[in-house]
Amino acid sequence: MISTISPIELLILVSIALLALCVPPFIAYRRRVERLGLVIVVSLIGVVTGLFWFVALVMAVSMRTRVPASTLRPSG
């Protein structure tokens, strides 16, 4: 089966896979989640298994976000 894939098709498939790999970490980064590294690791594992990619996506949209420093009130 792989031998019947042309180089252009393979390049397109790899490009789509890399874009899909970047979706959960990008969402987590934009939301400023507390454990971005965990989302990245689960997403990397998810590329191989497929199932964990969905887990990484759910983590990215549901994890607790960091509080920006500008919204913290000074104590005292």
Side-chain angles (χ1 to χ4, degrees):
M1 169 111 178
I2 291 181
S3 62
T4 62
I5 296 176
S6 72
I8 299 294
E9 291 171 334
L10 185 61
L11 180 64
I12 291 170
L13 287 174
V14 168
S15 299
I16 291 171
L18 288 175
L19 280 173
L21 169 69
C22 295
V23 170
F26 179 75
I27 292 171
Y29 174 76
R30 294 290 294 171
R31 289 191 66 238
R32 299 178 189 258
V33 299
E34 289 182 347
R35 302 188 68 188
L36 176 62
L38 181 63
V39 174
I40 292 171
V41 169
V42 172
S43 182
L44 286 172
I45 294 170
V47 164
V48 178
T49 63
L51 175 66
F52 285 113
W53 184 88
F54 288 107
V55 172
L57 186 61
V58 169
M59 287 170 59
V61 297
S62 65
M63 288 180 96
R64 186 171 42 199
T65 58
R66 293 178 293 197
V67 176
S70 62
T71 61
L72 295 176
R73 291 185 292 168
S75 59

